[in-house]
Amino acid sequence: MIIGICAKETGLNSPVADRFGRAEYYVLFDTETKEARTIENTAKNSASGAGGRAVRLLDENGVSVTLAPELGPKAMDAIKAFEISAYSYGESKTVKEALENYEAGKLEEFKTNSTESHHGLRRV
């Protein structure tokens, strides 16, 4: 199984990202081989629909579970369509910590989107 985690940097020691569709990277962790690789999020600069495009990118890379800070409505629709499980990494600070919390069963699964649409830009 491959788990995709939103990350600010590359590698397992990266801080987790604070957004899903506009995360800089996704760290992909293979639970069978225990190997991690990082991919750049090519959807991050989309004018709109970054969450849905990000889910497609994860699916293309074989991800079946994603760990994220939040999910907007388009991302949640895509998560359901691609049949990817999604969990909130909550208070996890690093990718490695998020993985450990997932493996320990400490993370909550997203059942619905956790945010409203950002319409391409985050309001400050």
Side-chain angles (χ1 to χ4, degrees):
M1 173 176 69
I2 297 176
I3 303 171
I5 307 98
C6 303
K8 291 183 178 181
E9 300 168 4
T10 62
L12 291 173
N13 293 319
S14 167
V16 291
D18 56 357
R19 297 184 65 195
F20 174 75
R22 300 200 185 275
E24 290 293 319
Y25 302 98
Y26 296 104
V27 174
L28 308 182
F29 182 77
D30 187 319
T31 60
E32 292 176 23
T33 65
K34 303 298 184 198
E35 293 179 1
R37 66 185 178 96
T38 303
I39 59 170
E40 183 176 357
N41 178 11
T42 55
K44 68 184 174 207
N45 294 321
S46 300
S48 66
R53 287 182 180 88
V55 173
R56 180 177 298 278
L57 175 66
L58 293 176
D59 181 68
E60 289 169 354
N61 281 276
V63 170
S64 55
V65 173
T66 188
L67 309 181
E70 59 185 31
L71 293 174
K74 290 179 184 176
M76 194 68 213
D77 288 346
I79 287 285
K80 289 177 182 176
F82 284 99
E83 298 179 349
I84 296 174
S85 299
Y87 292 81
S88 170
Y89 47 63
E91 300 299 315
S92 303
K93 302 293 184 211
T94 66
V95 168
K96 184 177 181 182
E97 184 181 358
L99 276 169
E100 289 169 351
N101 288 335
Y102 171 77
E103 290 175 339
K106 295 180 180 178
L107 303 184
E108 187 175 332
E109 186 171 9
F110 287 108
K111 299 295 184 194
T112 62
N113 51 289
S114 59
T115 67
E116 296 303 316
S117 175
H118 293 301
H119 299 291
L121 296 174
R122 185 167 210 162
R123 292 186 263 277
V124 181

